[in-house]
Amino acid sequence: MGNLNLQPAASSTPKKQVFKRTCCKKETPLKVLKINFQSIKNKQQEILISTKPDIIIGTETWLNKDILSSEFFTMMDYTVYRKDRPPSTNNLSYGSVLVAITTNLLSEEIRDLQTDSESIWVQINMTNARKLIVGSYYRPQSYNSTSIEQLKTSLDRINQNAKSTIILGGDFNLDI
């Protein structure tokens, strides 16, 4: 397998677009928190309480299907979308990703973007703005070019004509 070229063939500077919440008395910019939990079970929730992010992009949650999101997020405050890694032979879960969206925003998982990579994709419909697509991606440290190829597949599936804005956060574990 050859070296994976991570340099873009071309790039541009997008027009600045400000996403604002309109749920409140006044419009305020969205707060986005990207966090590598390395086990959400061992983390204190002060960061969530103090920053009150609208969007949380999380990697390495170490959660599995037997652990409820409500153990970490108040369901009245956040809608949580997760992709958990199956437990290992010693019944431990590593990796895994999540996107948590404040319940003040209308959101839904985009299942058409799912691949075999550790990623989760969510669409947020914003008032007076483009659709916002938020993704969380984790590539394990053991190099696997298939994971990056699967991420590219997800990105290629995004409808270019929809004029959506994409926020992708994650832990790419790239050896650059």
Side-chain angles (χ1 to χ4, degrees):
M1 187 152 312
N3 289 339
L4 185 62
N5 184 0
L6 299 175
Q7 298 299 320
S11 64
S12 66
T13 304
K15 291 181 182 177
K16 183 175 181 180
Q17 183 173 3
V18 178
F19 289 93
K20 296 182 178 184
R21 297 182 287 168
T22 57
C23 63
C24 312
K25 292 182 181 181
K26 65 178 187 172
E27 291 185 350
T28 55
L30 284 176
K31 291 182 184 178
V32 180
L33 172 68
K34 184 342 199 148
I35 186 167
N36 184 323
F37 289 104
Q38 289 190 330
S39 181
I40 193 172
K41 295 181 273 189
N42 300 326
K43 302 298 185 259
Q44 298 296 321
Q45 299 305 313
E46 287 91 11
I47 192 165
L48 298 180
I49 294 167
S50 64
T51 61
K52 296 180 183 169
D54 299 298
I55 301 169
I56 301 167
I57 301 171
T59 55
E60 289 196 80
T61 63
W62 298 7
L63 298 177
N64 63 51
K65 64 180 175 66
D66 298 326
I67 302 169
L68 301 175
S69 297
S70 60
E71 294 179 40
F72 310 100
F73 297 95
T74 306
M75 298 321 258
M76 289 178 23
D77 294 333
Y78 289 97
T79 303
V80 181
Y81 304 91
R82 295 174 20 189
K83 186 168 184 183
D84 300 334
R85 188 188 293 179
S88 62
T89 54
N90 57 0
N91 206 29
L92 296 174
S93 293
Y94 296 101
S96 304
V97 294
L98 68 76
V99 172
I101 308 292
T102 180
T103 54
N104 293 330
L105 298 173
L106 181 61
S107 63
E108 64 182 321
E109 183 176 352
I110 309 172
R111 296 189 186 274
D112 292 344
L113 299 184
Q114 295 303 336
T115 62
D116 291 333
S117 69
E118 280 185 61
S119 62
I120 189 83
W121 297 90
V122 177
Q123 177 177 297
I124 302 171
N125 295 316
M126 306 293 292
T127 305
N128 299 323
R130 295 179 176 187
K131 289 182 181 177
L132 178 61
I133 296 174
V134 179
S136 180
Y137 170 80
Y138 176 71
R139 186 179 80 69
Q141 287 184 348
S142 57
Y143 182 73
N144 180 348
S145 64
T146 303
S147 178
I148 293 287
E149 291 167 10
Q150 291 292 314
L151 174 62
K152 182 182 181 316
T153 297
S154 294
L155 291 168
D156 288 343
R157 289 180 184 166
I158 295 174
N159 182 352
Q160 299 300 318
N161 297 323
K163 296 185 179 180
S164 299
T165 298
I166 302 165
I167 297 175
L168 174 62
D171 187 344
F172 295 80
N173 283 313
L174 297 176
D175 297 325
I176 301 177

